[in-house]
Amino acid sequence: MIKLFGFDQAFGVIDASPFVVKVNLFLRMVNIDFKVENHFSNLKKSPKNKLPFIQDEGKKIGDSHFILSYLTQKYQLQLDNFLTEEQKAQALLYAKAVEESLYWCLVYSRWAKDDTWRVVKDAFFSQMPVPFKWFIPPLIRKSVIKNLHGQGIGRHSETEVLTIADEHFSALSTLLGDKDYFFGPQPSSFDAVAYAMLCQFISVEYFNNFNHQAKKHQNLVRYCQRIEDKYYSE
């Protein structure tokens, strides 16, 4: 059986990482049985020192993009066969926008904002023994904020980052329209990408102004609920 290695449930969603959620949902969409193994220590086992990764018949595959490609090819999956070639190209570019732009807005909203940082610190580090929980979380936060600055999003004001995030929410809302899924009445692999990121803003239990902006788009809220009802209601 395939093993999916992630972090763990947090904030009311199945994993704090949208990339872990993406693989988890994809596996459910294509009805492949899998087992989840969650722990921060999984990072040490990962072939790319990042999560998620999967293990299939002793082979480890890292990075959510390559995991989905591997699964699709090995198991001859047909999830996206209904898409035209143009739609497949659109899905690829949409995914890049979500995972390489909106993602950094998510990181900013969790690690750079003081109010949400308190929630993140409690979720990720509350079980850490004293004295490590006193000095390790601030060090990790400082490193994440440095990465945000290096990536570029951290050079903007919070208002500017929020504007960027809302541009993505608005675009996704327009693309979805009144459809059940982004390319029509049935899901595609892009829906695994889209839900995985949107649930981190819409389905989480904490509240900040980024989540507020996402939830203004009622079709996106209904979209997340639709997927949760279909794939996570057991």
Side-chain angles (χ1 to χ4, degrees):
M1 180 181 290
I2 292 173
K3 292 182 181 179
L4 169 60
F5 295 83
F7 292 100
D8 206 346
Q9 295 183 9
F11 317 124
V13 293
I14 61 168
D15 200 284
S17 165
F19 302 102
V20 177
V21 177
K22 169 185 169 183
V23 177
N24 186 298
L25 178 55
F26 180 84
L27 287 164
R28 291 170 186 260
M29 286 178 166
V30 297
N31 294 312
I32 293 180
D33 290 335
F34 66 102
K35 178 182 179 181
V36 174
E37 294 198 8
N38 289 329
H39 202 275
F40 274 96
S41 63
N42 289 332
L43 286 165
K44 298 178 181 178
K45 307 173 187 176
S46 171
K48 298 190 177 184
N49 300 116
K50 298 178 72 175
L51 297 178
F53 73 94
I54 65 167
Q55 185 170 305
D56 183 25
E57 297 180 346
K59 182 177 182 179
K60 293 181 178 180
I61 301 94
D63 189 283
S64 64
H65 175 79
F66 292 111
I67 291 171
L68 268 58
S69 295
Y70 166 84
L71 292 170
T72 298
Q73 293 173 17
K74 178 174 179 180
Y75 295 98
Q76 300 182 329
L77 303 177
Q78 299 180 12
L79 184 64
D80 290 343
N81 282 13
F82 73 98
L83 298 178
T84 66
E85 291 304 311
E86 181 179 0
Q87 288 174 324
K88 290 176 182 177
Q90 290 169 341
L92 175 64
L93 295 178
Y94 296 163
K96 293 301 180 184
V98 169
E99 296 186 334
E100 298 186 14
S101 183
L102 183 55
Y103 167 72
W104 288 105
C105 297
L106 174 66
V107 175
Y108 178 96
S109 75
R110 288 182 174 175
W111 293 83
K113 284 175 55 62
D114 290 335
D115 54 350
T116 314
W117 162 244
R118 290 192 290 271
V119 178
V120 170
K121 183 170 68 171
D122 182 65
F124 291 168
F125 305 109
S126 63
Q127 301 302 313
M128 185 174 287
V130 173
F132 301 106
K133 66 188 304 180
W134 293 341
F135 64 87
I136 288 181
L139 289 176
I140 296 177
R141 186 191 189 197
K142 182 178 180 181
S143 176
V144 172
I145 291 175
K146 182 179 179 181
N147 288 338
L148 286 167
H149 189 268
Q151 188 274 338
I153 201 79
R155 300 168 191 261
H156 302 314
S157 69
E158 181 176 331
T159 299
E160 290 170 330
V161 179
L162 185 60
T163 298
I164 293 170
D166 194 45
E167 288 172 347
H168 286 76
F169 299 142
S170 296
L172 288 167
S173 178
T174 298
L175 290 171
L176 180 62
D178 60 0
K179 301 187 297 295
D180 284 349
Y181 302 99
F182 276 91
F183 288 99
Q186 66 188 88
S188 69
S189 60
F190 177 70
D191 289 289
V193 175
Y195 170 78
M197 194 66 64
L198 287 171
C199 76
Q200 306 291 338
F201 293 99
I202 291 173
S203 302
V204 290
E205 295 171 344
Y206 65 83
F207 183 83
N208 62 26
N209 50 358
F210 285 80
N211 301 356
H212 177 69
Q213 288 300 106
K215 291 179 181 180
K216 284 184 176 180
H217 303 279
Q218 287 301 304
N219 64 336
L220 297 182
V221 174
R222 292 192 298 270
Y223 172 78
C224 288
Q225 188 61 60
R226 182 178 303 117
I227 287 180
E228 288 157 12
D229 289 344
K230 183 176 178 64
Y231 296 105
Y232 294 101
S233 60
E234 68 276 9

